[in-house]
Amino acid sequence: MSYTLTIEPLGQTIDIAEGQTILDAALRAGIYLPHACCHGLCATCKVSVADGEVEHGAASSFALMDSEREDGKCLACCAMPQSDLVIEADIDEEPDALVLPVRDFDGQVSRIADLTPTIKGVWIALDDAEGMRFQAGQYVNLHIPGGETRAFSVASPPSARGEIELNIRRVPGGKGTGWVHDSLREGDAVRITGPYGRFFVRRSAAKPMLFIAGGSGLSSPRSMIRDLLEDGCSEHITLVYGARSRAELYYHEEFEALAKKHPNFSYLPALSDDGADPGWTGARGFVHDVAKAGFGNDFRGLKAYLCGPPVMIEACIATLMQGRLFERDIHTEKFLSAADAAALVRSPLFRSL
């Protein structure tokens, strides 16, 4: 059984199946609705139901209070139709965003490599001859045993759309990352769903770009930087990338080679563990401090893109704003794990992000 879903103020009407969430129906139709955790915990996807009835699903009472439910609010990532629906959503126009419908893709693991002691590179060759069209900076959901999915940023550029690269860090006790690191093998059949996300380069701004990444947060910046350089971008691009030790600093040689090849690309790697790798001659310290030193605490005129753990992102935002770069020019990756989303609800630390 299916219903109709009308999304205002766009005025677009699409089909939505019984048991399908509002968010999933919209994204598969190529309509972006703001969202983040996709677990009913962060409230980013809150919309108003102007007409019709919904089942609220797993929406947290912290993210969607009883009074809001009574006022016709729902969380698009959890809400499912019980009738034809009309919703009102706060949708910002983004001139640089590509409108790409979410689809399911089957494929095989073509290669697995140890990028660091804790991060594996996983390459998935897609069965679809056209591959997956995506915008650099987006992510996919990898289907894991048990009917669940886990979100991972695409590390390869859009030009390599037939083979998707994911960089997956082992999370202690993590079901999804544990399966990837311990059980997934070359030749295994897998399914991914995507593309998702609104983390992308604002090319129309025509400003120099600063990418700051930590750990496996390098995935999206790598895709974005390679895409920019392949397209002949003339704006200056700087990557500040940090890890605890040299062994955790992956794709180091690749970025050094890109910096030699492209005069408009600068690479600033840093190690945060002072006692690690005594032969290291590069920068030491946290990435926000390395960026501050590298730019003389003056970030005016830049577009900044931040990827990494929430604490790192918070420190970077504070440093950038102290250096006179403000919110409109700072962009962060927004997808969260279920555990991170729960922390966002509980802790005022995460509300500031």
Side-chain angles (χ1 to χ4, degrees), residues 116 118-121 152 166-172 176-178 180-181 214-217 244 248 309 340:
T116 79
T118 60
I119 299 173
K120 283 188 180 291
F152 299 106
L166 308 178
N167 300 160
I168 300 175
R169 180 180 66 86
R170 181 191 287 275
V171 176
T177 63
V180 169
H181 278 252
S216 59
R244 290 188 183 90
E248 293 286 346
D340 286 337

Side-chain angles (χ1 to χ4, degrees), residues 6-350:
T6 302
I7 302 172
E8 300 292 358
L10 300 178
Q12 290 183 250
T13 298
I14 61 175
D15 291 330
I16 179 170
E18 185 175 16
Q20 184 179 27
T21 67
I22 291 172
L23 180 62
D24 185 65
L27 294 177
R28 288 180 182 272
I31 300 171
Y32 176 80
L33 296 180
H35 61 281
C37 77
C38 295
H39 299 292
L41 296 169
C42 73
T44 303
C45 64
K46 192 177 295 180
V47 298
S48 297
V49 179
D51 189 42
E53 299 294 330
V54 300
E55 165 59 47
H56 289 286
S60 161
S61 59
F62 293 97
L64 187 70
M65 295 182 290
D66 290 341
S67 60
E68 292 178 307
R69 299 173 196 234
E70 293 171 1
D71 289 340
K73 305 286 187 183
C74 72
L75 301 186
C77 74
C78 296
M80 294 168 284
Q82 294 186 317
S83 68
D84 292 342
L85 296 174
V86 178
I87 66 167
E88 296 176 352
D90 185 11
I91 303 174
D92 294 328
E93 290 292 330
E94 289 280 5
D96 295 296
L98 298 182
V99 179
L100 301 171
V102 168
R103 294 174 51 203
D104 298 315
F105 295 87
D106 291 314
Q108 291 77 41
V109 177
S110 55
R111 183 157 63 102
I112 298 177
D114 291 326
L115 299 178
T116 79
T118 60
I119 299 173
K120 283 188 180 291
V122 178
W123 285 261
I124 300 170
L126 302 181
D127 293 346
D128 190 313
E130 296 184 359
M132 183 180 74
R133 189 176 177 219
F134 66 95
Q135 189 164 13
Q138 290 190 295
Y139 68 94
V140 298
N141 280 339
L142 175 65
H143 294 248
I144 68 172
E148 300 177 58
T149 62
R150 294 294 186 271
F152 299 106
S153 296
V154 180
S156 44
S159 59
R161 57 196 290 181
E163 186 179 52
I164 301 300
E165 179 187 348
L166 308 178
N167 300 160
I168 300 175
R169 180 180 66 86
R170 181 191 287 275
V171 176
K175 178 180 177 181
T177 63
W179 170 71
V180 169
H181 278 252
D182 298 331
S183 301
L184 193 64
R185 297 290 183 267
E186 292 183 7
D188 285 354
V190 292
R191 169 170 285 194
I192 61 173
T193 301
Y196 291 101
R198 294 278 271 193
F199 188 62
F200 56 89
V201 175
R202 275 63 177 180
R203 298 196 183 198
S204 62
K207 294 181 177 181
M209 288 160 274
L210 169 62
F211 293 86
I212 306 179
S216 59
L218 181 65
S219 299
S220 289
R222 179 172 180 257
S223 177
M224 298 158 90
I225 290 167
R226 288 186 59 185
D227 186 44
L228 287 165
L229 295 177
E230 286 177 8
D231 284 354
C233 172
S234 59
E235 302 294 341
H236 197 87
I237 304 164
T238 302
L239 169 64
V240 180
Y241 174 50
R244 290 188 183 90
S245 66
R246 175 64 185 87
E248 293 286 346
L249 197 71
Y250 72 105
Y251 283 129
H252 176 67
E253 289 81 7
E254 175 181 295
F255 286 115
E256 286 188 322
L258 287 173
K260 290 180 180 178
K261 182 178 179 181
H262 299 276
N264 65 319
F265 175 59
S266 300
Y267 172 51
L268 299 176
L271 303 184
S272 60
D273 187 343
D274 285 339
D277 304 282
W280 173 255
T281 58
R284 289 189 182 271
F286 295 111
V287 284
H288 61 281
D289 291 326
V290 173
K292 181 178 180 179
F295 282 83
N297 197 31
D298 187 352
F299 301 103
R300 288 174 293 178
L302 299 176
K303 275 285 185 183
Y305 301 89
L306 316 179
C307 300
V311 173
M312 185 212 89
I313 290 177
E314 183 186 2
C316 288
I317 290 174
T319 297
L320 292 171
M321 295 187 74
Q322 289 167 6
R324 302 184 68 180
L325 188 69
F326 300 106
E327 185 177 3
R328 67 181 179 272
D329 290 318
I330 301 174
H331 307 280
T332 63
E333 206 162 20
K334 295 296 184 182
F335 75 85
L336 301 167
S337 71
D340 286 337
L344 184 150
V345 172
R346 293 193 303 266
S347 172
L349 170 66
F350 289 88

